[in-house]
Amino acid sequence: MHPTEALIRRYYAAFNAGDRAAMLALLHDQVAHDPNQGTRRIGKQAFTQFLARMDGAYAEQLEDIVVMVDATGTRAAAEFTVVGRYLRTDEGLPEARGQTYRIPAGAFLAVEGALISRITTYYNLEDWIAQVSA
């Protein structure tokens, strides 16, 4: 397994384990985070704040994770299924009532110095809204 693939897999394993400290340890200090439908954040502190907001509103696990790495090991992509429960209403989104959802998602990642330096995440927000609104 390529070291970058192992890095990305450790990151998502930490996500699934709810180990935010382990996730943060795998990030570059100036990590660029591009959330789906959101504004870019820079740095671990901004990412930590994002995680706290997400952890308050959602309980999620990632399944069927596939990781692809370019020949240089500086770029990677991951495809996965997000299986979750909507716990608390997130600003601008439908009311949370403990709804469950299952959506395909993907991420593009950059690696610098054996740490993740960029995470860009995509999923179909309209599909998610339809699932939690049903």
Side-chain angles (χ1 to χ4, degrees):
M1 180 182 307
H2 193 284
T4 295
E5 180 179 354
L7 171 68
I8 304 305
R9 289 191 178 282
R10 283 194 313 275
Y11 175 80
Y12 287 120
F15 177 92
N16 279 341
D19 189 344
R20 301 308 182 235
M23 289 173 64
L24 291 167
L26 300 173
L27 301 180
H28 188 279
D29 286 341
Q30 293 301 310
V31 63
H33 176 229
D34 300 307
N36 194 68
Q37 308 292 323
T39 303
R40 175 174 271 198
R41 314 173 160 76
I42 302 291
K44 281 188 182 182
Q45 180 160 348
F47 192 76
T48 300
Q49 292 167 348
F50 170 79
L51 289 175
R53 184 177 65 89
M54 295 297 287
D55 287 344
Y58 310 91
E60 297 180 327
Q61 287 287 294
L62 307 181
E63 296 180 352
D64 306 320
I65 300 169
V66 176
V67 177
M68 297 151 276
V69 178
D70 79 339
T72 69
T74 61
R75 296 272 177 85
E79 181 181 20
F80 42 83
T81 301
V82 181
V83 179
R85 180 175 297 277
Y86 190 28
L87 305 173
R88 186 180 74 215
T89 303
D90 204 352
E91 185 179 341
L93 296 172
E95 182 180 345
R97 301 179 315 278
Q99 307 93 310
T100 59
Y101 53 90
R102 182 178 191 89
I103 56 171
F108 296 100
L109 304 101
V111 174
E112 183 180 321
L115 294 170
I116 298 168
S117 59
R118 179 179 54 84
I119 305 167
T120 303
T121 307
Y122 292 101
Y123 58 89
N124 185 329
L125 181 60
E126 290 180 15
D127 180 23
W128 181 86
I129 290 172
Q131 289 184 48
V132 300
S133 297

